[in-house]
Amino acid sequence: MADGEQEPGNPGPETLTEEQAERMLAGMNEVIRAGEEMRRLRTEMIQVFAGLGWTQDRIARLTDMSQPAVSKQVGKYKSDAPSPPIALALGQNDPPWLEGRLWGLAEEVSEALDRTAHCTPAVDALARGRRRFTPRTVDELRRGLEEDLRLHRGRLPAAHQAAYDEISRALDVPPKGAAAPGAGSPSVRRALAHRIQRDRLHGGA
């Protein structure tokens, strides 16, 4: 072997290994993926707002986009068949809606406990796009939330436990028969349910 060459698989002290590169890029990839997913979700929400009859100026103000950019997004899907309106009632039992409610409730509990709650790491990971909604992550969120509700029953409003009991029952015992999924993509339904659940816990309509 010529002087100065490194043996394959035996990097020198100044060589960057594949494992080092993988660890270094992991966080960047999470941020990039989360950004792409948020942009896609925002595009879908623009269609929801347009379907509710909101003006493009109003949507542009709320999304912090220019009116031409909103117009382009709305026009992109104008030729598609109109989507059915999304029901906004809290008590819907499809999994994405229930997951969104669970997420919103967990955020409320985390904030009420000054972000020291057992569910806080899962809440943060979902909010920042480091984790996606899967049966495993939903189960982890539930377990942490159950522990918080058990340990801090005196500090948390009774409405938090009542909301969890309702969501948990619906997740454990789906309605009989194959219920048609609600309108909207899973991401949109989670985002709406998340917001509506939080507002309901604060007494909002």
Side-chain angles (χ1 to χ4, degrees):
M1 179 175 292
D3 291 342
E5 292 184 4
Q6 299 290 342
E7 294 182 10
N10 185 26
E14 297 181 0
T15 299
L16 187 69
T17 68
E18 184 175 336
E19 288 76 17
Q20 288 174 309
E22 183 178 5
R23 289 194 298 270
M24 183 178 64
L25 292 170
M28 300 179 194
N29 290 337
E30 288 172 354
V31 172
I32 292 169
R33 183 180 68 243
E36 291 173 347
E37 291 176 350
M38 284 298 103
R39 283 192 291 272
R40 184 163 56 249
L41 177 58
R42 185 176 66 174
T43 297
E44 293 180 13
M45 293 304 304
I46 288 172
Q47 305 312 313
V48 172
F49 299 149
L52 292 172
W54 293 10
T55 65
Q56 293 183 10
D57 285 339
R58 184 182 184 188
I59 296 171
R61 176 171 53 83
L62 292 171
T63 57
D64 197 25
M65 296 172 64
S66 68
Q67 195 278 334
V70 170
S71 179
K72 181 178 179 180
Q73 292 290 345
V74 172
K76 188 175 179 181
Y77 297 95
K78 202 171 227 181
S79 60
D80 295 347
S83 301
I86 297 178
L88 300 178
L90 188 64
Q92 302 180 64
N93 287 336
D94 58 290
W97 190 267
L98 293 169
E99 291 163 1
R101 289 188 62 188
L102 186 74
W103 180 22
L105 173 61
E107 277 196 347
E108 287 291 320
V109 168
S110 176
E111 292 177 8
L113 299 177
D114 300 319
R115 304 195 63 77
T116 61
H118 287 79
C119 67
T120 296
V123 167
D124 289 345
L126 290 168
R128 294 173 184 172
R130 294 202 306 267
R131 289 189 181 182
R132 302 183 182 186
F133 282 90
T134 66
R136 178 178 177 179
T137 57
V138 170
D139 186 65
E140 289 177 1
L141 188 61
R142 290 181 67 181
R143 299 290 82 79
L145 192 50
E146 285 174 358
E147 188 72 0
D148 293 323
L149 291 168
R150 182 182 67 81
L151 293 174
H152 304 284
R153 190 176 298 272
R155 291 180 60 185
L156 297 170
H160 287 57
Q161 182 68 57
Y164 179 77
D165 290 343
E166 180 181 328
I167 296 166
S168 184
R169 282 195 300 270
L171 285 170
D172 289 338
V173 186
K176 294 182 179 179
S185 71
S187 295
V188 164
R189 294 188 63 74
R190 287 190 195 100
L192 287 170
H194 167 273
R195 184 69 264 165
I196 293 171
Q197 178 65 78
R198 295 202 65 173
D199 290 343
R200 189 65 57 88
L201 289 170
H202 285 282

